[in-house]
Short mmCIF file of all heavy atoms in Angstrom, two decimals:
data_model
loop_
_atom_site.label_atom_id
_atom_site.label_comp_id
_atom_site.label_asym_id
_atom_site.label_seq_id
_atom_site.Cartn_x
_atom_site.Cartn_y
_atom_site.Cartn_z
N PRO A 122 -10.79 11.17 2.82
CA PRO A 122 -11.61 9.96 2.67
C PRO A 122 -10.94 9.01 1.69
O PRO A 122 -10.26 9.45 0.74
CB PRO A 122 -12.93 10.51 2.11
CG PRO A 122 -12.94 11.98 2.43
CD PRO A 122 -11.50 12.41 2.44
N ASP A 123 -11.13 7.71 1.86
CA ASP A 123 -10.53 6.73 1.00
C ASP A 123 -10.84 6.97 -0.48
O ASP A 123 -9.96 6.85 -1.32
CB ASP A 123 -10.97 5.30 1.37
CG ASP A 123 -10.27 4.80 2.63
OD1 ASP A 123 -9.25 5.41 3.03
OD2 ASP A 123 -10.75 3.81 3.22
N GLU A 124 -12.10 7.30 -0.75
CA GLU A 124 -12.52 7.52 -2.13
C GLU A 124 -11.76 8.66 -2.80
O GLU A 124 -11.36 8.58 -3.94
CB GLU A 124 -14.01 7.75 -2.25
CG GLU A 124 -14.56 7.61 -3.61
CD GLU A 124 -16.07 7.57 -3.69
OE1 GLU A 124 -16.73 8.15 -2.75
OE2 GLU A 124 -16.61 6.98 -4.61
N VAL A 125 -11.53 9.72 -2.02
CA VAL A 125 -10.77 10.87 -2.54
C VAL A 125 -9.32 10.45 -2.82
O VAL A 125 -8.76 10.80 -3.87
CB VAL A 125 -10.82 12.07 -1.56
CG1 VAL A 125 -9.87 13.19 -2.00
CG2 VAL A 125 -12.25 12.60 -1.45
N ALA A 126 -8.72 9.72 -1.90
CA ALA A 126 -7.35 9.27 -2.08
C ALA A 126 -7.22 8.36 -3.31
O ALA A 126 -6.27 8.46 -4.10
CB ALA A 126 -6.88 8.53 -0.83
N GLN A 127 -8.22 7.53 -3.54
CA GLN A 127 -8.22 6.62 -4.71
C GLN A 127 -8.34 7.44 -6.01
O GLN A 127 -7.70 7.14 -7.00
CB GLN A 127 -9.36 5.62 -4.62
CG GLN A 127 -9.14 4.60 -3.52
CD GLN A 127 -10.37 3.75 -3.28
OE1 GLN A 127 -11.47 4.08 -3.66
NE2 GLN A 127 -10.17 2.60 -2.63
N VAL A 128 -9.19 8.46 -5.98
CA VAL A 128 -9.34 9.32 -7.18
C VAL A 128 -8.03 10.01 -7.49
O VAL A 128 -7.58 10.04 -8.65
CB VAL A 128 -10.50 10.35 -6.95
CG1 VAL A 128 -10.44 11.47 -8.02
CG2 VAL A 128 -11.84 9.67 -6.96
N LEU A 129 -7.35 10.56 -6.45
CA LEU A 129 -6.09 11.24 -6.68
C LEU A 129 -5.01 10.29 -7.17
O LEU A 129 -4.18 10.66 -8.01
CB LEU A 129 -5.64 11.95 -5.39
CG LEU A 129 -6.57 13.07 -4.92
CD1 LEU A 129 -6.08 13.62 -3.60
CD2 LEU A 129 -6.67 14.17 -5.96
N ALA A 130 -5.03 9.06 -6.70
CA ALA A 130 -4.05 8.06 -7.15
C ALA A 130 -4.31 7.68 -8.61
O ALA A 130 -3.37 7.46 -9.37
CB ALA A 130 -4.12 6.81 -6.27
N ALA A 131 -5.58 7.65 -9.03
CA ALA A 131 -5.92 7.29 -10.40
C ALA A 131 -5.67 8.44 -11.37
O ALA A 131 -5.47 8.21 -12.56
CB ALA A 131 -7.38 6.86 -10.44
N ILE A 132 -5.69 9.68 -10.89
CA ILE A 132 -5.51 10.85 -11.74
C ILE A 132 -4.41 11.74 -11.14
O ILE A 132 -4.70 12.74 -10.50
CB ILE A 132 -6.83 11.65 -11.87
CG1 ILE A 132 -8.01 10.74 -12.20
CG2 ILE A 132 -6.69 12.76 -12.91
CD1 ILE A 132 -9.35 11.40 -12.09
N PRO A 133 -3.16 11.38 -11.35
CA PRO A 133 -2.04 12.13 -10.77
C PRO A 133 -2.06 13.60 -11.12
O PRO A 133 -1.67 14.44 -10.27
CB PRO A 133 -0.80 11.44 -11.33
CG PRO A 133 -1.26 10.08 -11.73
CD PRO A 133 -2.72 10.23 -12.11
N ARG A 134 -2.45 13.98 -12.31
CA ARG A 134 -2.50 15.40 -12.70
C ARG A 134 -3.43 16.20 -11.77
O ARG A 134 -3.18 17.34 -11.43
CB ARG A 134 -2.96 15.58 -14.13
CG ARG A 134 -1.87 15.37 -15.15
CD ARG A 134 -2.34 15.61 -16.57
NE ARG A 134 -3.06 16.86 -16.70
CZ ARG A 134 -3.97 17.06 -17.65
NH1 ARG A 134 -4.31 16.13 -18.52
NH2 ARG A 134 -4.56 18.24 -17.75
N LEU A 135 -4.50 15.55 -11.34
CA LEU A 135 -5.46 16.19 -10.46
C LEU A 135 -4.79 16.45 -9.10
O LEU A 135 -4.92 17.52 -8.54
CB LEU A 135 -6.69 15.27 -10.28
CG LEU A 135 -7.94 15.84 -9.68
CD1 LEU A 135 -8.42 17.06 -10.41
CD2 LEU A 135 -8.98 14.78 -9.60
N ALA A 136 -4.05 15.46 -8.60
CA ALA A 136 -3.38 15.61 -7.33
C ALA A 136 -2.36 16.74 -7.35
O ALA A 136 -2.10 17.37 -6.30
CB ALA A 136 -2.70 14.28 -6.95
N SER A 137 -1.81 17.02 -8.49
CA SER A 137 -0.81 18.08 -8.58
C SER A 137 -1.46 19.48 -8.61
O SER A 137 -0.75 20.48 -8.59
CB SER A 137 0.04 17.89 -9.85
OG SER A 137 -0.68 18.28 -11.00
N GLY A 138 -2.77 19.55 -8.64
CA GLY A 138 -3.48 20.82 -8.61
C GLY A 138 -3.93 21.30 -9.96
O GLY A 138 -4.57 22.32 -10.08
N GLU A 139 -3.56 20.57 -11.02
CA GLU A 139 -3.98 20.97 -12.38
C GLU A 139 -5.46 20.67 -12.59
O GLU A 139 -6.01 19.75 -11.99
CB GLU A 139 -3.22 20.15 -13.43
CG GLU A 139 -1.74 20.48 -13.53
CD GLU A 139 -1.09 19.66 -14.62
OE1 GLU A 139 -1.60 19.66 -15.73
OE2 GLU A 139 -0.04 19.04 -14.35
N GLY A 140 -6.09 21.44 -13.46
CA GLY A 140 -7.44 21.16 -13.89
C GLY A 140 -7.40 19.97 -14.87
O GLY A 140 -6.48 19.84 -15.67
N VAL A 141 -8.38 19.09 -14.75
CA VAL A 141 -8.45 17.92 -15.64
C VAL A 141 -9.83 17.90 -16.27
O VAL A 141 -10.84 18.08 -15.62
CB VAL A 141 -8.22 16.62 -14.82
CG1 VAL A 141 -8.39 15.39 -15.69
CG2 VAL A 141 -6.82 16.63 -14.18
N GLU A 142 -9.86 17.71 -17.62
CA GLU A 142 -11.15 17.60 -18.32
C GLU A 142 -11.91 16.42 -17.73
O GLU A 142 -11.37 15.37 -17.47
CB GLU A 142 -10.91 17.36 -19.79
CG GLU A 142 -10.42 18.56 -20.55
CD GLU A 142 -10.27 18.22 -22.04
OE1 GLU A 142 -11.23 17.67 -22.64
OE2 GLU A 142 -9.19 18.52 -22.58
N LEU A 143 -13.23 16.62 -17.60
CA LEU A 143 -14.06 15.57 -17.03
C LEU A 143 -14.03 14.27 -17.82
O LEU A 143 -14.03 13.20 -17.25
CB LEU A 143 -15.51 16.05 -16.85
CG LEU A 143 -15.72 17.09 -15.76
CD1 LEU A 143 -17.19 17.49 -15.67
CD2 LEU A 143 -15.22 16.57 -14.41
N ARG A 144 -13.96 14.38 -19.15
CA ARG A 144 -13.95 13.15 -19.95
C ARG A 144 -12.68 12.35 -19.68
O ARG A 144 -12.71 11.12 -19.63
CB ARG A 144 -14.11 13.43 -21.42
CG ARG A 144 -12.99 14.20 -22.07
CD ARG A 144 -13.20 14.43 -23.56
NE ARG A 144 -12.06 15.11 -24.11
CZ ARG A 144 -10.91 14.50 -24.45
NH1 ARG A 144 -10.81 13.22 -24.35
NH2 ARG A 144 -9.92 15.20 -24.94
#
Side-chain angles (χ1 to χ4, degrees):
D123 284 345
E124 195 169 27
V125 172
Q127 291 171 341
V128 167
L129 295 176
I132 311 169
R134 279 182 50 207
L135 194 57
S137 75
E139 290 182 50
V141 176
E142 287 181 49
L143 288 181
R144 65 179 183 82

